[in-house]
Every structure is written in C-alpha cells, then in structure tokens.
Amino acid sequence: MREAIRWRRIAEYLIVLVLGLLVLVVHDVGYMLRQPFWTDEAWVAVTTRFPLSQLPATTSSTPIGWSALIRLLTVRDDQAARLLPLAFAGVAVVIAYWFARRLGWRQQPAAVGAGLLAGLGVLLEPAMLVRDDLKQYTADACLALLVLALTSRLERQWSQRGLAGLSVAVWDGMLFSDAAAFVGAAAFTALCIVQLARRAWHRLAAAVVAGACTAVLMLGVYEGFDARAVVPGLTYSPHFRSYYLPLTEGLHAAITFVTSHFDAMHAIFGLGPVWLALPLFLAELVTIFRLGRPATAVAIAALWPEMLAFSALHKYPLLDLRTSTFLLAITAVVAAVGLAGVCALPRPRLEGAL
C-alpha cells in the first residue's frame, strides 16, 4: 500500500511538471527568440547595458527584481531573456494546480480534477497566451496565485511560520510584481475579518501584527524602488487614461466604463458569455467556503472591487490587457474550482441517500 501511494504521488508530480512545461508548446518559442525587441521591451532590455549599481535609477516602471532577473538571461544581441516570462507562466500553472488541489476536497479525484482544470485554465487563458514580451505580467499572475495559495494553506494549518511565509511572499513579491501588493492586501484583510467573525482573538492579534509588519515592509519596497516610477507622464498617458474608472462623472459613466471594457475584453477572458462566467465565479466562492477556506474566498471576492477602487483613484489601470493579466488568470482558476465544485456536489448527496 505504501509503495502504491508513493508511485501515485510520483505520477501526479510528473503530470504537474508536464503541465507546466506545456507553456513551451502553446507558445512559439522559436519565433520569440528570433524577433527583435519592440519599444516597450527595449526599455526593459536596455537596463542590462548599464552597470548594476545604476539599476534602481534605470528600471523605471518595471519592478527592480524583474530587471535583475533579466540580466541573468541576457546575452548581447540575443532575445533569450524572453524565456523569463515563459518561466513565470510555467510556474503559475504549477501554483494554480497546487492551489486548487489543496483546497480540502473530500475526494481525491475531485482534488486532482480541480487542480488539472485550474492548471489548464492558466495555461490556456488567452491573456496568458499573448504574454510573449519582455514584461513582468506573467510574474504578476504567478505571484498573485502564490499569495492566494499560501493564504489557503494558512487556513488549512494555522502557524506563525505560515503567516511569516505569506508576509514574505507579499512584500518580497513586490520586487517582481505590483500585483503581489494588491492580492496581499486583500489576503491579510480577509484573514483579519474571518478571525474577527470567529472571535479567534489570538489568531486575530497574530494576523494584525503580521499584516502591520507586512504593510511597513511593503511601504519600504514601494518608497525604495517603485515610487520614482509614478510620474504624471506614465500615470496619465493617453493609453492608460482610458482605463481609469470615471467615478466623478456620475454613476452612468462608471457603469458604461465597466460594461464597455468588459465587452472589449470578452474574447480575452476565455470563460464564454457572462451568463456562464458569472455563475462559475459564484460557484467557486461557495465551493471554497464549503471547503473551509473563507478568508481565501473573501480575498478573491474583494479583488475586483479593490482594483475598481484603485482605478477610480487613478492609481492602477483596470481591464488593460497587460496590467490586468493577473486578474484574468485568477478568474480562470476561480472558474475551474467552481466547475469542479459543481461536479463534486452530486456524489455526497447520492451517498447520503444510499
């Protein structure tokens, strides 16, 4: 029996490894390595030509950790650095599997099925399929999913080490991705709300302290590396200006903004029409609550309103194909978990009837 369990685990690990490596199949790697850098990529690639000591001044709006990693893959007159976004895309697929697989399913087939659906969802998400450029948007998806996976693990087994790991993933993840800050803020807020609702005072105190320390470290990373990139020429550029929620123009303008952008992004969501996508999203939230992960569900539910608020404040563009890649990847995972949850419902009811 022990030997059979061991071989089953090895088979599952191999399946997940193959799933992650499929990014090299669904992307035209040969084409990526032959094409010259376009304008936005060139701004990132040129940082590798400066001395490492000048990296904080030259990295601009790209996270400094991403610019540092590019140096490891950059060969003069070569496009090998484009393999970095593919690496993060592959890791995002693996994390999506781990997140959905370890949600606390009662039956192993449901757990494995949820993991496979989530991994395939990230792998084949249209927003991820077009991420072949030398930018950090696959890292956004990867680290956002990592924060949610660590939140779920912390709910499964509460520990100081788990809180510390979540904290490190958030503030350290900001070196490679802006999305880590948004998802991390939602995760810590959700943890505090759930512990307050449960009147788990010791856990609430631990979550508040960890959240406060994380916020201080996040602020340090922002002030040290990110604040210099927040300039009017970028924030209010003609491109991003159309992705800020026009809250001051009235309710009708805000609703028109959301509906028009969703219509424009419809094909890139990869979840079909709204009448199908929305029930799957809601089914995921119900499923995660049923599986004993309320803080994770609250964090996921809060992400879209949070990003709407940042868009209204002109702090982060919403529903731009590049900057919202992490939101679309999370939504794909959410839909996969919801579908698995719906499929797993009839079995317990049938067993109860018998």
Side-chain angles (χ1 to χ4, degrees), residues 125-126 266-274 276-278 280 328 331-333 335-336:
E125 167 62 41
H266 177 266
I268 226 65
F269 267 90
L271 295 178
V274 175
L276 175 62
L278 185 58
L280 284 177
L328 302 180
T331 304
V333 173

Side-chain angles (χ1 to χ4, degrees), residues 162-177:
L163 267 175
L166 178 60
S167 174
V168 171
V170 174
W171 66 263
D172 190 50
M174 287 179 61
L175 297 173
F176 306 93
S177 162

Side-chain angles (χ1 to χ4, degrees), residues 19 59 76 97 132 271:
L19 194 62
T59 190
R76 189 170 294 275
Y97 179 92
D132 295 332
L271 295 178

Side-chain angles (χ1 to χ4, degrees), residues 143-350:
L143 289 166
L145 289 169
L146 176 62
V147 171
L148 291 177
L150 290 175
T151 305
S152 173
R153 189 182 71 169
L154 182 61
E155 289 196 272
R156 182 177 72 247
Q157 186 175 3
W158 186 273
S159 67
Q160 296 298 326
R161 180 178 296 181
L163 267 175
L166 178 60
S167 174
V168 171
V170 174
W171 66 263
D172 190 50
M174 287 179 61
L175 297 173
F176 306 93
S177 162
D178 297 327
F182 304 128
V183 184
F188 272 105
T189 302
L191 283 171
C192 292
I193 291 174
V194 169
Q195 304 316 316
L196 180 62
R198 290 174 171 173
R199 298 185 178 181
W201 307 122
H202 291 292
R203 290 189 177 185
L204 175 60
V208 169
V209 171
C213 293
T214 303
V216 171
L217 291 168
M218 290 168 64
L219 182 61
V221 172
Y222 176 80
E223 291 293 337
F225 303 109
D226 298 336
R228 62 171 58 91
V230 184
V231 294
L234 177 63
T235 306
Y236 296 100
S237 65
H239 174 75
F240 286 130
R241 194 179 303 154
S242 60
Y243 294 99
Y244 294 135
L245 182 67
L247 199 59
T248 57
E249 298 178 16
L251 181 60
H252 182 266
I255 294 175
T256 302
F257 169 87
V258 173
T259 55
S260 62
H261 279 75
F262 267 105
D263 288 341
M265 295 280 288
H266 177 266
I268 226 65
F269 267 90
L271 295 178
V274 175
W275 62 264
L276 175 62
L278 185 58
L280 284 177
F281 186 88
L282 296 176
E284 180 272 346
L285 297 180
V286 173
T287 298
I288 293 184
F289 265 108
R290 288 178 61 249
L291 295 176
R293 305 290 192 273
T296 306
V298 170
I300 293 172
L303 269 178
W304 280 99
E306 178 188 11
M307 300 316 299
L308 275 170
F310 276 108
S311 175
L313 294 172
H314 290 200
K315 299 299 182 182
Y316 197 83
L318 179 68
L319 293 178
D320 172 69
L321 176 58
R322 295 180 297 172
T323 58
S324 292
T325 295
F326 77 98
L327 270 179
L328 302 180
I330 289 174
T331 304
V333 173
V334 163
V337 172
L339 180 59
V342 170
C343 294
L345 279 177
R347 183 173 178 178
R349 291 180 180 176
L350 180 60

